[in-house]
Amino acid sequence: MLDQAGPLDLTDPVTGALRATVTRPELERLARRGCRTHPDRDCGCAVLDRPPAVDRYTPTPAQYRFVRARDRTCRHPGCRRPAARTDLDHMRAHRDGGATDCTNLCCLCRRHHRLKTHAPRWRFTMTDDGVLTVTTPSGVTRTTRPPGLHTPAVRHLLGSGGPPPDDDDPPPF
């Protein structure tokens, strides 16, 4: 039975990536509705996925839930401020065409949000699955992954095939 108080987080069993967050009423509504594309058969369509992008600056409540569940803390290397006490920041600025989409939103505490936005020559980039890379003005680069997202080496150990990659993860700045 689902907890009435909070959402359920669904992860990919192979990669560990967060696929969706859903509340009990949302899940019940989806179960009643079923697949709208193929209502007469079991098509295997994903009825749950990350929240869709919106055409505005402010993220939706579903996007807040998803990104905070994915990130769990401020994503700046070495920072452990809980996600509930962070800002959702557009990695590519909204004013520069960055989408209000979970693939472009990241939890950053106010200090690191300001660093990213205002400090010269700092570079922040993020992949669609939430892997954040931060490069300092001196060229030092650090990468953080959402908790639970399996590295390529872990995926190899779980049996997804291929040789294990060189997965050195240096300490924070």
Side-chain angles (χ1 to χ4, degrees):
M1 180 178 234
L2 289 176
D3 181 0
Q4 295 283 346
L8 176 67
D9 300 330
L10 304 171
T11 59
D12 184 291
V14 175
T15 66
L18 182 66
R19 293 292 310 269
T21 61
V22 64
T23 63
R24 181 184 177 118
E26 290 170 335
L27 186 58
E28 289 171 347
R29 194 169 41 255
L30 287 168
R32 281 191 307 271
R33 183 191 82 190
C35 176
R36 291 189 176 178
T37 308
H38 309 99
D40 53 341
R41 62 185 165 95
D42 184 13
C43 60
C45 294
V47 292
L48 284 174
D49 206 350
R50 69 179 105 193
V54 291
D55 191 23
R56 66 180 195 216
Y57 176 78
T58 306
T60 66
Q63 288 173 326
Y64 272 100
R65 270 196 329 264
F66 182 90
V67 175
R68 286 185 169 150
R70 180 195 67 199
D71 292 353
R72 298 189 200 152
T73 64
C74 171
R75 291 293 307 291
H76 193 274
C79 187
R80 297 292 173 241
R81 182 172 299 270
R85 296 177 53 207
T86 64
D87 301 329
L88 254 59
D89 184 38
H90 291 78
M91 286 294 102
R92 180 173 180 219
H94 188 262
R95 70 178 170 273
D96 295 334
T100 302
D101 184 42
C102 295
T103 61
N104 189 45
L105 294 169
C106 183
C107 289
L108 290 176
C109 68
R110 185 62 49 94
R111 176 178 176 219
H112 292 122
H113 186 169
R114 287 181 176 157
L115 175 82
K116 177 195 159 286
T117 304
H118 301 295
R121 299 186 350 248
W122 281 77
R123 249 187 27 234
F124 288 66
T125 58
M126 190 173 73
T127 64
D128 286 351
D129 59 357
V131 176
L132 178 69
T133 301
V134 178
T135 305
T136 68
S138 64
V140 175
T141 299
R142 295 292 181 260
T143 300
T144 65
R145 292 171 181 79
L149 182 66
H150 301 314
T151 65
V154 171
R155 283 196 298 276
H156 172 75
L157 292 174
L158 292 174
S160 62
D166 180 16
D167 196 23
D168 293 330
D169 195 14
F173 303 106

